Amino acid sequence: KASVGGIKPELPTTGSRTTAATSWSFKRASTDTKYGALLVFDEVMTGFRIAYGGAQEYFGVTPDVTTLGKVIGGGLPVGAYGGKKEIMELVAPAGPMYQAGTLSGNPLAMTAGIKTLEILQRPGAYADLDRKTTKLVDGILEAGKAAGHAVCGGSISGMFGFFFCDGPVSNFKEATESDTVKFGKWHRAMLERGVYLAPSQYEAGFMSLAHSDDDIDNTIQAAKDVFDNVL
């Protein structure tokens, strides 16, 4: 009998908006309580990036426990977890499970985190993030295909990913069939042009509200140069 079920929703790295996790079967499995297992969402990557409420808001699934990383501290060292009342009451001082950390409640991280959350709540923040990410992904894919390369990719809000195959990629098996050697060459060539993308096809890239349209245009132009002259 299971006691804990974990979901790590790094879905944009599958290179498609139509990932398996958007299906009814995913939602049904995530909310099935017949085995008494806890549902834990690792939102270190997706928290506040694909929606203000993370992947659980985006997909409409409420876990028993959520974990979050340094995104809640504006990029500074911090982590957090939270869950249902009956679970959190097991944590000291209310309960028997002791937990502490050197940087717990660090004032610098908390100040940066509060400011980050305030910015994300401004009207249109996520619409702008999605627009920028879509512009970047579409521009890079158009440049790659125009140069005759088999490449696919996709995004969810501020997270994105690419695979060197015809695609679409909707699961891990399909991802393993893409050209990782070409991805490595592409990544190194982009780095030489001042663009630091995620170094693996299995890692997601992140768009920021601080990125400008000029940044995106320059990135697309660098990708075009690599597609045309390097790969």
Side-chain angles (χ1 to χ4, degrees):
K1 182 179 180 180
S3 58
V4 176
I7 300 291
K8 188 172 180 64
E10 291 185 30
L11 303 169
T13 58
T14 61
S16 172
R17 284 181 178 269
T18 55
T19 60
T22 60
S23 68
W24 166 244
S25 60
F26 168 82
K27 293 182 179 180
R28 184 177 62 186
S30 298
T31 56
D32 193 340
T33 60
K34 67 180 180 180
Y35 294 109
L38 293 180
L39 177 64
V40 182
F41 262 32
D42 177 355
E43 296 234 41
V44 168
M45 303 287 278
T46 53
F48 299 103
R49 285 195 173 99
I50 69 173
Y52 193 77
Q56 54 200 272
E57 175 188 316
Y58 188 92
F59 295 113
V61 177
T62 302
D64 297 300
V65 177
T66 299
T67 63
L68 295 163
K70 58 184 177 289
V71 65
I72 64 168
L76 293 172
V78 64
Y81 63 91
K84 295 180 177 179
K85 182 179 179 180
E86 61 267 28
I87 296 172
M88 297 305 292
E89 284 183 338
L90 296 173
V91 182
M97 191 195 83
Y98 180 74
Q99 184 272 326
T102 304
L103 292 175
S104 294
N106 179 272
L108 179 60
M110 295 302 98
T111 300
I114 290 169
K115 188 61 180 180
T116 298
L117 300 185
E118 181 251 298
I119 292 171
L120 290 174
Q121 290 183 82
R122 293 175 183 173
Y126 281 95
D128 188 41
L129 193 63
D130 185 66
R131 178 191 67 81
K132 290 178 178 180
T133 312
T134 301
K135 177 181 178 180
L136 175 70
V137 172
D138 288 351
I140 289 177
L141 292 180
E142 181 179 341
K145 291 175 180 178
H149 298 285
V151 60
C152 68
S155 64
I156 298 180
S157 190
M159 299 178 70
F160 61 91
F162 298 100
F163 292 97
F164 280 92
C165 62
D166 290 322
V169 172
S170 58
N171 55 56
F172 180 74
K173 182 179 183 300
E174 292 173 356
T176 62
E177 296 170 356
S178 59
D179 192 338
T180 55
V181 174
K182 179 177 280 191
F183 184 98
K185 291 180 179 178
W186 180 66
H187 179 269
R188 288 189 290 273
M190 290 293 284
L191 192 60
E192 290 169 356
R193 288 157 179 77
V195 180
Y196 189 10
L197 296 166
S200 167
Q201 67 171 18
Y202 298 109
E203 295 186 38
F206 304 126
M207 178 62 68
S208 167
L209 290 173
H211 285 115
S212 67
D213 281 293
D214 285 342
D215 293 329
I216 296 169
D217 291 337
N218 291 336
T219 300
I220 294 172
Q221 184 56 47
K224 185 178 186 302
D225 181 43
V226 174
F227 285 132
D228 290 342
N229 302 307
V230 179
L231 298 184

